[in-house]
Amino acid sequence: MMARRSLMVGFGGYLPDRIVTNDELAARLDTSDDWIRARTGITQRHIAGPNDTAVSMATAAASRALEYAGVSAADVDAVIVATSTPDQAFPATAVRVQAELGLRGGFGFDIAAACSGFVYALSTADALVRSGQVEKILVIGSEVYSRIIDWSDRGTCVLFGDGAGAVLLSATDGAGPEGILSTHLHSDGTTGDLLYVDGAVGRRENSGFLRMRGRDVFRHAVAKLSDSVDEVLAAHGLTYTDVSWLVPHQANLRIIEGVARKLELPPERVVVTVDRHANTSAASIPLAMNEAVRDGRIRKGDLVLMEALGGGLTWGSALARL
Ligand code: COA
């Protein structure tokens, strides 16, 4: 009999209505559409409106994931939200989402692992399923980076966007090959100053903004993500050719292409949203999953490799058979 494990059964996403193009940024900053496209592949990003919050976007994405799975909110045992941009320090975003969804049982908590947040949350949720604590669990990434961006810093503000994505996991003991095969997490606090927010709760004026040494982050990203995809495939005796889809964190097209080249995956096997969403941090992988499952690219039986790197530095990978 197969061991207890998690199936990915529901997918949902939410993007704010407002789209900001590169040209709009170039009108108020010393940058250009050409520069942004060439260095990052980004053409536009969605930016939260006054009524969009980490909670509202997470709730919208989660509702769509439940609808996709045909599961009612009352059957959900737990909610994990990966976010670095919560509306409040506490209560956790996840318990607010619990209330919004009408859940009166179970539990919820947030995970802060910056752009690796979704992989961390997926790993935690999978462990809760495997240990028998939950049957159904929502794993959400919801981010409002527009509220921690220094809009006068052209080196960072062009890179990020807002949004939320959600995946519903459901426990199985079935004999089929599907489910989350494994997740692998890493962090290295000595690299914390490469990408960080310069303030916290009760922050003083002119603090609380994202700061980054872009070139150093880029270098770490390509090296660590390459190791990370090797690690997860080796854990299952699989090779590059077994992977149906790479669903990477969407930070920069050049980083994504670097990892895809290493995997010898043609571009049509890589799910890319960074061109339209920019970097939505913990929301980027579930948003990309949602898009590719709903448009029929990712199908039942496909082997999906997810990977991410973010502030911490944190990084990791996950392998799932849909
Ligand atoms: N428009 C125009 N010029 C810009 C610019 C912008 N938006 N941002 C930076 N520049 C300038 C810099 O000031 C610098 O000018 P200088 O040479 O006169 O000093 C020049 O472009 C090169 O800067 P550099 O930072 O070396 O460029 P780069 O090729 O490394 O590209 C990033 C910059 C940010 C696109 C790239 O480093 C990157 O993507 N890093 C990873 C960032 C990331 O994904 N972080 C999130 C991880 S989760």
Side-chain angles (χ1 to χ4, degrees):
M1 200 175 81
M2 290 284 286
R4 184 178 166 89
R5 63 198 188 282
S6 327
L7 304 181
M8 298 176 109
V9 296
F11 304 89
Y14 174 87
L15 290 160
D17 291 337
R18 177 146 184 261
I19 291 174
V20 174
T21 63
N22 292 346
D23 282 333
E24 239 181 291
L25 294 179
R28 56 173 201 254
L29 275 171
D30 184 12
T31 187
S32 67
D33 181 45
D34 281 350
W35 193 96
I36 300 171
R37 276 177 199 256
R39 302 287 174 122
T40 71
I42 296 166
T43 66
Q44 60 169 50
R45 70 284 294 138
H46 292 253
I47 296 295
N51 297 324
D52 290 314
T53 63
V55 170
S56 74
M57 297 197 304
T59 304
S63 301
R64 290 169 188 174
L66 290 172
E67 197 180 285
Y68 182 98
V71 167
S72 93
D75 291 328
V76 172
D77 303 307
V79 180
I80 303 181
V81 176
T83 185
S84 301
T85 49
D87 308 321
Q88 301 172 291
F90 67 85
T93 313
V95 299
R96 296 282 193 204
V97 170
Q98 224 188 343
E100 290 293 317
L101 291 174
L103 297 179
R104 293 296 174 265
F107 60 95
F109 60 93
D110 289 2
I111 281 187
C115 295
S116 309
F118 181 76
V119 175
Y120 271 64
L122 192 69
S123 180
T124 307
D126 182 45
L128 287 167
V129 168
R130 286 176 190 267
S131 73
Q133 284 196 67
V134 302
E135 291 293 319
K136 291 194 167 47
I137 179 165
L138 277 164
V139 188
I140 308 168
S142 186
E143 300 279 20
V144 218
Y145 268 50
S146 60
R147 293 181 186 147
I148 58 164
I149 289 295
D150 173 354
W151 285 100
S152 66
D153 175 12
R154 67 177 184 171
T156 55
C157 77
V158 303
L159 302 175
F160 295 92
D162 299 331
V167 171
L168 179 70
L169 300 186
S170 181
T172 183
D173 297 311
E178 66 279 351
I180 295 177
L181 303 187
S182 66
T183 58
H184 303 261
L185 306 181
H186 299 276
S187 63
D188 175 5
T190 66
T191 48
D193 290 339
L194 300 184
L195 175 54
Y196 63 99
V197 175
D198 65 358
V201 177
R203 68 196 195 188
R204 293 193 197 91
E205 226 174 297
N206 292 323
S207 73
F209 296 111
L210 182 146
R211 304 292 176 204
M212 180 175 70
R213 282 173 28 203
R215 199 175 284 183
D216 292 328
V217 173
F218 193 102
R219 196 168 42 80
H220 279 285
V222 175
K224 291 185 160 57
L225 292 173
S226 294
D227 289 349
S228 201
V229 295
D230 281 345
E231 179 183 29
V232 71
L233 290 172
H236 302 280
L238 295 168
T239 68
Y240 305 158
T241 52
D242 296 309
V243 176
S244 318
W245 292 99
L246 177 65
V247 184
H249 167 52
Q250 308 280 323
N252 181 317
L253 191 60
R254 283 156 63 215
I255 297 174
I256 293 173
E257 286 172 349
V259 177
R261 249 195 315 277
K262 173 170 166 80
L263 284 169
E264 294 169 25
L265 274 184
E268 58 274 15
R269 289 273 149 191
V270 182
V271 179
V272 173
T273 56
V274 68
D275 52 330
R276 290 157 290 125
H277 300 176
N279 182 347
T280 57
S281 193
S284 87
I285 290 177
L287 272 168
M289 284 295 295
N290 176 57
E291 187 173 289
V293 166
R294 285 180 186 256
D295 70 19
R297 273 179 290 170
I298 297 181
R299 293 173 191 203
K300 226 173 160 29
D302 282 353
L303 188 67
V304 176
L305 174 50
M306 294 161 266
E307 42 84 344
L309 174 134
L313 293 176
T314 53
W315 66 100
S317 56
L319 196 61
R321 175 88 58 191
L322 262 288

